[in-house]
Amino acid sequence: FNYRGVGRSQWSHLFGSDLAGHLWGLWRMPAICGGVLDAWTLIQFATKALHVKPEEVVVIGHSIGGGFGTKLAAQRPDLPFVLCNSRSFGTLSSVVVRLTPAFLGVLPHTFKGKALQSLCTVLLWLSGWELNSVKHWQRVAGFKWVEYSAADHIIPSDLALCALLRGTSKGRAAAPPELDLMEAEEEKGLGFRCLRLASYPGLDNHNRLLFPCDNGGGELLLHLELVKEGLQFGRALVEEDAQRGAVRRGTARRDARRAEEGGEAETAEDEAAAVAV
């Protein structure tokens, strides 16, 4: 779906002006909060209107959508839906600050480039436009995995979520190896999978579709295998919770019966004592 203010997701006109309606909409609901709310609305539509079970929902967030999806999953640890963070960042501000000078045609190491980066940092802070996926990732309780490409021209490899998560675990920055191979590897101690996508020269490796086959295997097939594994994980989690609930209910009923039997025994003893008196 389109974010608020993008494509057909426009605010209503205010006094006949698109700009006034846009600014009024931003003032009423900050874009970050609105994006997460819209994503949650889609999940509610799937679970309530389409009757999809929560454990069968797969949230796939690509690029900035990865930030929104991760934030949403972190806010709802009670729901066992599956999360895929695909070709996204560790923090939004780090990528925006890094790319702003180049986007404006300014060398980043010059005085003008550094000034632009400082200005960009201040503007992001004032506007509240920050998505910290590294922090939110730690609070995601369900099955989750990261996808990244070493040849991504939008998300620098050292600022990708996968690299920052690895760096956090090792106490230092750790960029993904520059290999044109796909692999679904277990990130030990981090509780997630990492799928390295193939790098294709001359293609937009940030926005391209996943291909069913290539020299390293099939990245689309690996992606679908992770989806399948995530759904199985969610169903198993729900069944386990149901079994625990049944055990708790059985224990509660047993304790209630014991309490009733104990109360009846005490009543009988009191009656016998009264007759004896």
Side-chain angles (χ1 to χ4, degrees):
F1 68 98
N2 288 327
Y3 301 107
R4 299 185 180 202
V6 177
R8 295 183 179 180
S9 297
Q10 299 291 342
W11 283 277
S12 300
H13 295 179
L14 182 64
F15 304 119
S17 171
D18 292 342
L19 178 60
H22 186 90
L23 295 176
W24 174 251
L26 288 176
W27 183 82
R28 292 180 61 192
M29 173 68 73
I32 293 290
C33 298
V36 175
L37 179 61
D38 293 342
W40 173 238
T41 302
L42 287 179
I43 292 180
Q44 286 186 310
F45 176 77
T47 55
K48 297 183 181 302
L50 303 181
H51 306 291
V52 178
K53 297 178 181 179
E55 64 270 21
E56 295 178 351
V57 173
V58 181
V59 177
I60 301 177
H62 170 257
S63 193
I64 192 173
F68 282 109
T70 303
K71 183 176 178 68
L72 171 64
Q75 292 179 346
R76 297 307 305 263
D78 56 311
L79 295 180
F81 55 74
V82 181
L83 173 66
C84 170
N85 183 297
S86 180
R87 287 169 282 186
S88 190
F89 45 76
T91 61
L92 175 62
S93 59
S94 62
V95 174
V96 173
V97 170
R98 174 80 66 86
L99 297 182
T100 294
F103 180 77
L104 298 177
V106 179
L107 295 176
H109 301 297
T110 63
F111 173 79
K112 188 176 181 180
K114 293 180 179 179
L116 280 173
Q117 290 179 329
S118 299
L119 177 62
C120 186
T121 301
V122 173
L123 292 177
L124 285 170
W125 180 78
L126 291 175
S127 64
W129 260 98
E130 175 63 303
L131 288 167
N132 191 333
S133 295
V134 176
K135 179 180 69 175
H136 297 146
W137 188 263
Q138 312 303 330
R139 300 202 298 266
V140 177
F143 186 89
K144 54 191 177 181
W145 78 92
V146 180
E147 297 176 353
Y148 75 95
S149 172
D152 195 320
H153 68 289
I154 298 296
I155 308 295
S157 60
D158 60 321
L159 300 181
L161 176 60
C162 185
L164 294 183
L165 289 175
R166 287 171 171 171
T168 300
S169 68
K170 299 176 182 178
R172 57 184 176 82
E178 297 292 333
L179 297 175
D180 294 338
L181 299 174
M182 290 183 305
E183 55 188 24
E185 57 190 33
E186 185 77 28
E187 292 296 319
K188 296 181 179 179
L190 295 181
F192 72 97
R193 299 289 184 88
C194 185
L195 175 60
R196 190 199 321 278
L197 304 179
S199 299
Y200 290 96
L203 290 184
D204 182 354
N205 286 286
H206 179 72
N207 293 308
R208 68 170 179 80
L209 299 176
L210 301 183
F211 295 144
C213 60
D214 49 46
N215 294 332
E219 59 186 11
L220 178 59
L221 298 179
L222 289 174
H223 171 86
L224 294 177
E225 282 295 327
L226 288 170
V227 171
K228 179 181 178 182
E229 185 176 349
L231 293 175
Q232 292 173 343
F233 177 87
R235 295 189 187 103
L237 190 63
V238 170
E239 292 176 0
E240 183 179 349
D241 290 342
Q243 292 175 356
R244 290 178 180 175
V247 171
R248 286 194 297 267
R249 288 191 296 271
T251 302
R253 286 194 296 268
R254 186 167 57 253
D255 293 342
R257 284 197 300 269
R258 288 177 178 175
E260 291 177 359
E261 292 172 358
E264 292 175 356
E266 292 178 359
T267 301
E269 291 177 359
D270 294 340
E271 291 176 354
V275 170
V277 172

